[in-house]
Amino acid sequence: MRVLMIAGNWKMNTTISEAIELVGEMLPGLDEIDGVEKVICPPFISLAIVKELIKGSSIRLGAQNLYFEEKGAYTGEISPLMLADLCEFVIIGHSERRQYFNETGEIVNKKLRVALKVGLKPILCIGERLEENEAGRTEEVVTEQLGSSLAGIDYLGDLVIAYEPVWAIGTGKAATGKQSNETIGLIRSHIAKLYNESFAQEVRILYGGSVTADNIAEFVQQSEIDGALVGGASLKADQFLSIVKQTSEIAG
Ligand code: 13P
């Protein structure tokens, strides 16, 4: 049985004081919802304070990125060792990083390796662009992304995968539950080919892209979808609480 997960990716939003306020608004309600793994991923500079604020609660913490070297002269970067001290999860290979920061499959692979080495749980993002979707290339693109991201990695620990079709991110145009369930099923079959069937059945695969309190149920009701990676709606306490609550009810 895979435990459903809802992760909030705050992206480049919230100052430290806004992050404190947002956590304050969601913490009491979120803490008491069970049956779902609840993760929040604030910006780097708020991780330390948020870690303190959620101490003793059931809320888990994640970062949005990391650098693949452990330390050294890499001005402005954040190392896996710094994060391992602060949080449990790290988002790797988000499409915004692939698109705006030229992250290739090779870089994603290096980041995954180092995250696993220091004991961080990666949330690996994959997903096709609009033109790839329209050209019927979704399966090809996600399997290529999986292949390059996971190349040569034997042990994936508690890896979580997030299928985020790029055309659905921040557009208000979510995929349908049925579409994403099919693609996530394909991703799971590909994981079985790359690793083995039992790992493929264990690994959690989330949907991401314009998830809101109005459409979350459509996704988490699907047999292959193990939760959601939520962007914009994770910045609104009432929306995020509703998303987590509905997921918990469906998890039953
Ligand atoms: P939105 O929920 O804002 O579409 O963002 C999705 C996302 O990119 C989560 O990582």
Side-chain angles (χ1 to χ4, degrees):
M1 262 299 276
R2 302 184 294 262
V3 177
L4 298 184
M5 171 189 280
I6 299 292
N9 174 9
W10 294 10
K11 306 192 179 183
M12 197 178 71
N13 295 291
T14 68
T15 59
I16 293 177
S17 52
E18 286 164 349
I20 294 170
E21 197 181 323
L22 185 53
V23 170
E25 283 167 13
M26 49 175 76
L27 183 61
L30 207 50
D31 190 26
E32 62 190 28
I33 305 174
D34 41 42
V36 185
E37 205 160 274
K38 303 154 284 187
V39 183
I40 54 175
C41 305
F44 285 136
I45 61 162
S46 294
L47 285 173
I49 183 71
V50 171
K51 181 186 177 185
E52 285 305 308
L53 294 172
I54 63 175
K55 201 181 239 167
S57 80
S58 56
I59 298 151
R60 319 273 192 97
L61 193 59
Q64 300 173 17
N65 182 29
L66 83 176
Y67 192 54
F68 52 72
E69 296 291 348
E70 291 183 12
K71 61 179 173 178
Y74 302 101
T75 302
E77 290 298 321
I78 301 291
S79 99
L81 293 174
M82 298 171 191
L83 293 179
D85 219 27
L86 274 174
C87 60
E88 190 177 343
F89 295 90
V90 60
I91 297 172
I92 296 181
H94 193 280
S95 64
E96 287 150 14
R97 298 215 55 87
R98 296 179 194 256
Q99 188 179 349
Y100 305 130
F101 303 97
N102 305 317
E103 276 193 18
T104 59
E106 193 184 335
I107 294 174
V108 170
N109 180 267
K110 285 187 182 172
K111 290 187 172 188
L112 271 177
R113 285 171 187 269
V114 78
L116 291 164
K117 181 178 169 205
V118 303
L120 286 162
K121 298 174 182 169
I123 302 177
L124 168 67
C125 301
I126 57 174
E128 83 286 1
R129 297 196 303 263
L130 182 62
E131 61 273 23
E132 295 165 335
N133 180 280
E134 287 174 346
R137 295 183 51 224
T138 299
E139 181 175 2
E140 178 196 333
V141 171
V142 295
T143 54
E144 190 284 319
Q145 287 174 338
L146 277 178
S148 59
S149 308
L150 302 177
I153 305 180
D154 298 330
Y155 175 71
L156 294 176
D158 291 318
L159 176 83
V160 175
I161 296 172
Y163 167 59
E164 300 204 306
V166 179
W167 48 271
I169 296 178
T171 58
K173 190 174 165 251
T176 65
K178 191 166 169 286
Q179 268 174 327
S180 36
N181 194 54
E182 267 171 33
T183 306
I184 288 177
L186 292 169
I187 294 170
R188 201 178 297 288
S189 313
H190 197 65
I191 291 287
K193 276 188 216 146
L194 293 174
Y195 294 87
N196 56 64
E197 186 58 37
S198 78
F199 179 70
Q201 289 308 320
E202 271 168 35
V203 69
R204 286 179 294 180
I205 312 181
L206 316 181
Y207 166 78
S210 297
V211 168
T212 64
D214 293 332
N215 64 18
I216 183 66
E218 180 185 341
F219 295 104
V220 290
Q221 272 161 359
Q222 306 288 333
S223 59
E224 296 291 344
I225 304 181
D226 304 316
L229 182 56
V230 184
S234 72
L235 294 165
K236 297 178 196 118
D238 56 340
Q239 277 271 327
F240 194 62
L241 274 170
S242 170
I243 288 169
V244 175
K245 198 171 268 172
Q246 291 180 58
T247 305
S248 153
E249 282 161 12
I250 287 166

